[in-house]
Structure formats: C-alpha cells, structure tokens
Amino acid sequence: MTHALITGGAGFIGSHLAERLLAAGQQVTVIDNLSTGRFANIAPLEGQPGFRYAIEDIRNIHVMDRLVSECDVIYHLAAAVGVQKIVSQPIETIEVNIGGTEVVLQTARRYRKKVLIASTSEIYGKGVRFPFHEDDDSLLGPTTRSRWSYAASKAIDEFLALAYHKQVGLPVVIIRLFNTVGPRQTGQYGMVLPRFVQAALAGEPINVYGDGGQSRCFCNVRDVVAAMHALAETPAAVGQVFNVGSQEEVTILDLAERVRARAGSTSEIRFIPYDEAYEAGFEDFRRRVPSIDRIRALIGWQPVISLDETIDQIIAYYREELQHGGDQPQGTDIGAHPGRA
Ligand code: UDP
C-alpha cells in the first residue's frame, strides 16, 4: 500500500488530496503548521484507517526526517500563499517557501523518496504569449514590488528540485497550478472566488479590483488533485514540469456577475483601484492561460468540472459554513500539541 506524506495537508488543496488518496486506499500522513491551513479541513478524516497528522512546521528537520523515512511519496504543498498575504508578509513568504522546500528535498534525498512540488503560474509573470507553455520565459517585475517575491521563491524551489534530479537522480515532478478553486478555499489571503461568494451571500458589495477586465482560468480542486495523483503514479513524469489548470477563461467582472446571479444575490459590484486593494504600484496580470498539452499528452488529463459547477459548489460550501460559524481560522493553539503522527 502506498504511503503518501502531504506537506500543507490541512490546507485547501492538501485536504482534498488527502481525501482522494485515502479513497484510493493509500495511507496518508499530513504535516501542517496551520499557518494558513485549518484543522477543520482534516477533522473529518481523523479516525479513518490509514490517516494520521502532525501539527508541525516542515522546517522541523527531526519530525520531517521521521515522516519522510516512513512514506513512499511526498506531495509538497506547504507554502505561504495568497497575494494579500504575500504583499503584507513578504519575509514569511520567502523564508517559508525556500527554507521549507530545502528541508523537503534534503530529507527526500536521504531516503530516496519521490517528491511532487506544487509550484505556481505566477512564475510566468508578465508573459505576453498565450497560452503559457512550461518552457516559456519567466518575466518577473522588480524586487521593489513584494508580489514578485512569491514567483521568485517558487522559481528557486523549482530550480532546486530540478537540481536534485539532475545531480543526484532524485525523482521529482513539478506542478504549476493555475488559480485552483473550490470548497474550503478561504478568502482571507486574497483569493477572489471565495471573497466574491462570501460577499454575495452576505449581501455586501463585491469588490472588483482594477477595471475587472483582467482574466483568469479557474480550475476545480478536484480536477487538480486528480492530476497530482496521476502524475505521482506516472514514472515518465519524473524530472518534468507540468501546467495544471483550466482553459476556460473568464474576466473578473464577468466572474462577479456570475457569482451574484448564481447566488441569487443583489450585492452591488464595486470597483476598487489596485493601489487601494493591495499597495501603491501593485502590478496585476491582465491574462493567464495555461497550455495543458504536456499533461494531456502524457496522462490524458484535462479538467472535467465547469466554472459554473464550481461556483455552485463554493456557494453551497459557504451557505453551510454560515450556518456553522463562518470562515475563521481554527485551533490556533493546536500548534502547542504534539500531533498524532
Ligand atoms: N481580485 C478582485 N477582488 C478580490 C480579490 C481579487 O477583483 O476581492 C482580482 C485580483 O486583482 C486578480 C484576480 O481577482 O486580478 C484574481 O486574484 P487572486 O488573488 O484570486 O489570484 P491571482 O491574482 O493570483 O491570479
């Protein structure tokens, strides 16, 4: 039986991955320091055969040494995420993203374990050739703009993982995620879809940043974790980078209107200048579209869940949350407990 270690497993994507792997009969260990993850995301998995967790930072090398030695494959998802968080806490973004990945790769090397690294479409930066292909150039902004620290830190993670593959033959796979969305994603760190849904359900203004003409392709988390699972089980994926995302493009204004209509809301749609929403001089992307030719050719993957279906899932999730106390980070004191792994 395969034993998977998921770093950041109490996060939005990690908890969906844990659920999927358990359903496939795998053993799953989650390590998460609950910095942006929520214990509530994995609470329903507690007690399931084959599931265990440690509430711990991945930079704790003693804990990571033991957990990596016991698993077969590592899904490395732990990271500082969310544009708002990145802009307001750039030190943490850089230190966690680079330092955490260093520990994961060093430990994986010690025990020769396969590692899947969750990376990001931010790496393409201000690229102007659409769709983005994995081997395209990375066009980042200046170091004086905090936003780019995220892409730069993730680029170092990719370089480092590929270096371990090249120099010592470590089996690594890199997955660049494009705007993953779905139930359990929180709006606290800036992500647009949960924010729009929460505002629509509360009858509060839906805040569209800039003129709303910027576009994104949102991919349902269930499609994303299916891609991760399949790539982990495909030997030919080792040493490669894969875009994972949807090609259904939508402008942010259109998204706001769709959310409002599907939630049956009368919320006003309000335009907020970027400088006010983030910080002076903030740079946004006008478009971001993945090429998924590489992953499709290798494993036949493509998203199957539409954006409208995803919006409905998120609306249903937040309606349920509203009945049970809202979108609050849970268990901030849990870090003091030893965890169970
Ligand atoms: N956005 C918005 N209102 C919000 C949050 C985000 O209009 O409350 C915009 C944001 O400026 C960006 C898009 O929605 O153009 C997607 O933002 P998100 O942070 O979800 O993802 P990313 O910028 O990383 O694509």
Side-chain angles (χ1 to χ4, degrees):
M1 188 200 284
T2 304
H3 182 172
L5 172 64
I6 307 177
T7 74
F12 156 58
I13 302 174
S15 62
H16 281 276
L17 180 64
E19 234 172 58
R20 181 184 171 97
L21 299 180
L22 284 169
Q26 298 194 6
Q27 255 180 285
V28 172
T29 298
V30 157
I31 178 165
D32 199 304
N33 67 0
L34 301 184
S35 60
T36 55
R38 302 168 69 201
F39 189 73
N41 288 343
I42 52 169
L45 304 179
E46 231 189 325
Q48 271 199 34
F51 179 74
R52 56 181 202 162
Y53 64 86
I55 303 304
E56 187 54 77
D57 196 292
I58 55 166
R59 289 169 295 176
N60 181 330
I61 50 174
H62 302 293
V63 170
M64 277 300 284
D65 187 274
R66 182 163 63 86
L67 298 185
V68 169
S69 74
E70 293 166 352
C71 77
D72 304 303
V73 55
I74 305 151
Y75 293 87
H76 175 41
L77 275 62
V81 292
V83 179
Q84 214 131 66
K85 186 181 170 77
I86 286 149
V87 170
S88 63
Q89 294 171 25
I91 298 177
E92 210 186 339
T93 303
I94 299 165
E95 291 188 348
V96 168
N97 291 1
I98 296 177
T101 302
E102 261 181 326
V103 171
V104 167
L105 289 168
Q106 280 164 2
T107 324
R109 175 189 189 176
R110 192 168 305 137
Y111 299 103
R112 287 203 76 76
K113 299 295 166 71
K114 183 184 262 195
V115 191
L116 277 87
I117 306 255
S119 185
T120 172
S121 56
E122 289 258 332
I123 284 205
Y124 295 104
K126 300 187 262 191
V128 288
R129 223 168 41 130
F130 300 99
F132 293 151
H133 288 87
E134 287 86 348
D135 296 328
D136 284 351
D137 288 344
S138 173
L139 201 69
L140 305 189
T143 52
T144 44
R145 305 263 185 265
S146 302
R147 178 194 191 130
W148 301 109
S149 67
Y150 180 61
S153 67
K154 284 291 192 174
I156 288 291
D157 289 353
E158 290 198 13
F159 277 127
L160 195 58
L162 293 169
Y164 271 90
H165 176 65
K166 187 175 164 189
Q167 239 178 285
V168 298
L170 190 72
V172 303
V173 181
I174 292 165
I175 300 169
R176 289 191 187 146
L177 302 176
F178 284 68
N179 293 83
T180 306
V181 291
R184 291 186 211 142
Q185 185 174 39
T186 167
Q188 273 178 305
Y189 310 107
M191 281 77 161
V192 67
L193 203 38
R195 291 167 83 86
F196 282 5
V197 169
Q198 282 177 297
L201 292 180
E204 287 166 4
I206 299 177
N207 291 331
V208 169
Y209 301 159
D211 65 3
Q214 71 274 33
S215 70
R216 295 291 188 273
C217 299
F218 295 94
C219 191
N220 190 291
V221 65
R222 296 203 175 102
D223 281 329
V224 168
V225 299
M228 288 179 164
H229 181 193
L231 286 172
E233 296 189 348
T234 306
V238 166
Q240 294 202 63
V241 178
F242 296 90
N243 288 338
V244 169
S246 156
Q247 295 186 305
E248 188 184 347
E249 199 172 353
V250 64
T251 67
I252 298 303
L253 178 56
D254 184 18
L255 183 73
E257 281 163 354
R258 273 156 86 164
V259 166
R260 182 170 64 175
R262 299 190 85 81
S265 163
T266 54
S267 285
E268 166 205 356
I269 293 178
R270 204 164 57 176
F271 293 90
I272 311 274
Y274 283 118
D275 285 7
E276 214 175 287
Y278 298 104
E279 63 180 0
F282 181 82
E283 297 181 272
D284 197 15
F285 305 104
R286 206 57 191 167
R287 277 185 86 190
R288 181 192 276 158
V289 187
S291 156
I292 53 170
D293 293 349
R294 184 176 287 177
I295 186 171
R296 197 190 268 134
L298 186 67
I299 60 168
W301 178 89
Q302 61 181 32
V304 293
I305 306 168
S306 71
L307 179 57
D308 283 342
E309 210 176 326
T310 302
I311 292 173
D312 291 347
Q313 288 176 6
I314 299 170
I315 291 171
Y317 170 76
Y318 274 113
R319 284 213 166 108
E320 179 90 357
E321 282 276 291
L322 279 174
Q323 282 173 0
H324 297 100
D327 181 23
Q328 295 301 316
Q330 307 256 323
T332 42
D333 63 334
I334 281 174
H337 295 215
R340 298 183 50 210

